[in-house]
Amino acid sequence: MAVIHRTTMNPGKLELLAGWLPSRPWYTGASTAPELARAGGFRIDDPAGEVGIEFVVVTDASAAEPVAYLVPLTYRGAPLEGAEEGLVGTSEHGVLGTRWIYDGAHDPVLTERLIALLRGEAQPQHQSVTGAPDPTVVPEAGEGALPAGAAAVAVEDGPEGTRLVVEAAGRRLGDLEVVRVLEAGRTGGPGALGRVTAEWELPDGTRARGAVAVLREG
């Protein structure tokens, strides 16, 4: 079970993301200095207790209309070899020391736990309360869509978002889309084999719900 520490991070998450988001192909803003605010998210535990896993939702108010982005993050105590493309930055944690923070779509621990969540083998956790499940996060997948051994074997970032290529026993099962630009009411469409839906807060204080991950046939 991940422990949520009430401490400082320097630089903070929003500061790191403000410098990183404009470099992403799926970033829709024109500003190189997004105005970010926390809008929601959830966590998934790493059974090994080594990697922090958090799905963060931020809203960018620098555009004419605010945009909500999903950024899955992992927090590590050492660099992840081969994941330089996914490095968001480093930060000094008040309890744990230096943390290497990655875009979790490039981290095999997060992608494994996301697949486990869709398989019903992992439980979403509250973003800021230790040991508290988050019932507002709803995973669903068709029977047999993700058999045992399913794993993400490649990641592709593009203007439409991030796609994880999922295989099992050498057979391609489909693509798991990590939704980057969130839309209220989004389900992934009738052809989706599975999805994870979650809530986030709109700038006016109301709540929205939509898909944050969608499994599609490859």
Side-chain angles (χ1 to χ4, degrees), residues 28-55:
T28 65
S31 173
T32 57
E35 301 170 17
L36 302 183
R38 286 177 171 270
F42 60 96
R43 293 178 180 264
I44 306 176
D45 284 342
D46 169 21
E50 295 294 326
V51 179
I53 300 172
E54 181 180 17
F55 288 74

Side-chain angles (χ1 to χ4, degrees), residues 34 82 103 129 178 183 213 217:
D103 175 8
V129 181
V178 178
E183 300 175 12
E217 187 174 355

Side-chain angles (χ1 to χ4, degrees), residues 12-126:
K13 296 175 194 177
L14 293 185
E15 185 178 350
L16 285 172
L17 290 176
W20 177 80
L21 274 175
S23 70
R24 299 299 92 192
W26 39 263
Y27 176 66
T28 65
S31 173
T32 57
E35 301 170 17
L36 302 183
R38 286 177 171 270
F42 60 96
R43 293 178 180 264
I44 306 176
D45 284 342
D46 169 21
E50 295 294 326
V51 179
I53 300 172
E54 181 180 17
F55 288 74
V56 177
V57 180
V58 294
T59 53
D60 177 14
S62 65
E65 293 290 334
V67 179
Y69 294 98
L70 173 73
V71 186
L73 296 175
T74 56
Y75 307 92
R76 288 176 167 268
L80 174 59
E81 185 176 354
E84 293 79 11
E85 169 63 20
L87 182 65
V88 176
T90 60
S91 181
E92 293 301 316
H93 189 280
V95 175
L96 302 175
T98 304
R99 308 300 284 171
W100 280 259
I101 302 174
Y102 290 90
D103 175 8
H106 295 262
D107 191 319
V109 172
L110 183 142
T111 59
E112 187 276 328
R113 298 316 293 161
L114 178 57
I115 290 172
L117 179 66
L118 277 163
R119 283 175 50 84
E121 297 171 353
Q123 187 174 45
Q125 300 291 313
H126 195 281

